[in-house]
Amino acid sequence: QQHPSTTSINNIHQQHLLIASINNIYQQHLSINNIMINNHILFSLILFLIVIHSLQSYHAPLKTLSASDYRKSLFDTTGGLFQTNGHGIIKVRAESAPPKYRLGYMPMRNRAEIIRLMLEESGVPYELEVFGFRDWATSVKATTPMGKCPVLRNYDGKGNDLCQEGAITRLLASELGLDGKDSAERAKLDSLYCLWFSTMRNNGLSHDGREFSIESLKGLEGSRRKDRPKYDETFRLNDLDKAGRSLLALDYFEEALTETESDGPYLLGANPSYVDLGLFYILFELAEPSNIPDFADYFDLPMLGRLVEALAHRPQINEYLKSERRMPRYAREETTGLSLYTYIEGKWSLNV
């Protein structure tokens, strides 16, 4: 079935709560002024409250956006992300079948990029509910669990929404077949995902951080892996700087890929997983012309370079990377790597 609108999803959820509350009162045989509520009165009361609630919370359906027009508007926005407006839907492969998922996020890559890559790799029709920061702050935030995004709308088919990048990632990895073929592979990937999130994702930061920093790597001279400390031999309390810790994480995943080298370019061998996709988009940014395009040779990371090449040329991923529906990059401060949230061009992501 076609995914219901955000307003419908929220209304359904609130109506369920309303009905449950009234029914709970009825089940406990609560009397009002010593008059027991009978079935007819209860049913009429429920219908009346649903109608009133629907009228009060009605909003027009979200409009469908042109991916090319929307991306052009982002490049034209003075002030970057925090000045963006607009709330609508970008449909992906909607001509082939009704959308199976609706993913909501602000107009950037960040926490939603691994999720979008999973949806793109699977080829499933989906909707991207995109909302500018101003819309997020004034209205959309209040519709999401915990007030967080990304958000997967109606994830359970009952009108409930799911937030938190990790929860959405694991759910979709399971549903889309990107989490291995058995419990052993799922456990291995979960362990690698935890490591990826705590290192290369800096425990959820959307910019360079203590554990992984592209800016710090740009200031290094090239080196060989055999001359660097190993992750599993390094204590949590150490004297490594951000660049050293960044290489620590890269080296660990390089070794993990080496173990399956003969079976294929991915962590499980021949088939990509959600963790491969997480590695990919960070490495793709590392390989941008303004960063370190030859990072694989420069830092002696041939398996990570192989992974980037393999995924970048998978048909669904390649089409997405070159499409106008992918959100633009944004600038980072040169010394700290902190996000400036102003949109800039990148490989296959041009302001045209």
Side-chain angles (χ1 to χ4, degrees), residues 71 75 109 284-285 288 320-330 343-352:
R71 189 166 76 165
F75 279 116
R109 297 175 184 176
F284 194 83
E285 174 64 27
E288 285 282 357
Y320 168 64
L321 296 176
K322 296 178 179 179
S323 74
E324 295 173 317
R325 65 180 178 274
R326 191 184 191 208
M327 294 298 125
R329 303 168 65 212
Y330 51 68
Y343 297 106
I344 60 174
E345 293 186 332
K347 183 177 181 180
W348 298 334
S349 180
L350 305 177
N351 181 13
V352 294

Side-chain angles (χ1 to χ4, degrees), residues 61-313:
L62 295 176
K63 63 181 179 180
T64 299
L65 304 174
S66 159
S68 58
D69 291 345
Y70 189 77
R71 189 166 76 165
K72 183 67 167 63
S73 74
L74 295 178
F75 279 116
D76 292 341
T77 299
T78 302
L81 171 70
F82 296 114
Q83 302 304 317
T84 53
N85 292 298
H87 184 193
I89 298 293
I90 295 175
K91 296 180 179 291
V92 181
R93 289 181 288 275
E95 70 284 350
S96 60
K100 187 175 181 181
Y101 300 102
R102 176 182 290 182
L103 176 68
Y105 198 50
M106 285 180 275
M108 53 183 174
R109 297 175 184 176
N110 288 16
R111 295 178 176 89
E113 193 64 7
I114 184 174
I115 303 169
R116 292 202 68 189
L117 284 166
M118 291 163 60
L119 293 169
E120 294 290 344
E121 167 63 19
S122 71
V124 66
Y126 73 96
E127 294 176 338
L128 177 66
E129 178 189 343
V130 62
F131 32 82
F133 180 82
R134 289 185 171 183
D135 297 87
W136 165 252
T138 58
S139 59
V140 182
K141 181 177 174 66
T143 73
T144 66
M146 307 178 193
K148 299 296 183 182
C149 65
V151 57
L152 190 65
R153 300 294 193 184
N154 193 24
Y155 78 100
D156 59 357
K158 300 177 182 178
N160 297 307
D161 298 338
L162 182 68
C163 70
Q164 296 294 347
E165 172 189 344
I168 298 172
T169 297
R170 287 183 172 97
L171 173 68
L172 291 183
S174 175
E175 294 191 355
L176 299 174
L178 293 168
D179 65 341
K181 66 179 184 298
D182 54 35
S183 59
E185 288 191 349
R186 286 190 289 273
K188 176 182 178 179
L189 288 175
D190 194 23
S191 175
L192 291 170
Y193 177 78
C194 290
L195 179 64
W196 171 82
F197 194 82
S198 64
T199 57
M200 297 180 71
R201 280 286 284 109
N202 284 300
N203 286 305
L205 290 181
S206 59
H207 51 73
D208 280 21
R210 180 180 183 276
E211 302 301 326
F212 190 80
S213 167
I214 290 178
E215 281 300 321
S216 69
L217 289 173
K218 289 166 65 174
L220 284 184
E221 294 183 0
S223 60
R224 299 293 91 187
R225 197 167 67 257
K226 64 180 179 61
D227 300 325
R228 301 193 291 257
K230 294 182 178 296
Y231 184 90
D232 52 3
E233 296 174 358
T234 304
F235 288 94
R236 183 176 63 85
L237 297 177
N238 56 69
D239 58 0
L240 294 173
D241 58 13
K242 288 197 293 186
R245 286 189 290 271
S246 300
L247 286 172
L248 211 62
L250 290 171
D251 287 349
Y252 186 91
F253 284 105
E254 176 73 17
E255 292 296 331
L257 288 167
T258 301
E259 293 176 4
T260 58
E261 177 181 1
S262 61
D263 298 322
Y266 308 116
L267 290 167
L268 293 180
N271 298 312
S273 70
Y274 67 103
V275 186
D276 293 291
L277 294 170
L279 286 170
F280 169 74
Y281 83 85
I282 294 176
L283 295 172
F284 194 83
E285 174 64 27
L286 177 61
E288 285 282 357
S290 59
N291 292 324
I292 312 175
D294 59 345
F295 79 88
D297 293 331
Y298 198 66
F299 293 123
D300 187 25
L301 300 168
M303 294 300 101
L304 287 174
R306 181 189 183 199
L307 179 141
V308 172
E309 284 298 309
L311 279 171
H313 289 91

Side-chain angles (χ1 to χ4, degrees), residues 4-32:
S5 70
T6 302
T7 300
S8 299
I9 293 170
N10 292 331
N11 287 350
I12 290 170
H13 178 55
Q14 293 172 26
Q15 289 163 9
H16 285 171
L17 294 176
L18 181 62
I19 293 171
S21 298
I22 296 174
N23 189 53
N24 184 54
I25 293 173
Y26 177 68
Q27 293 295 329
Q28 295 178 28
H29 304 288
L30 179 70
S31 61
I32 299 177

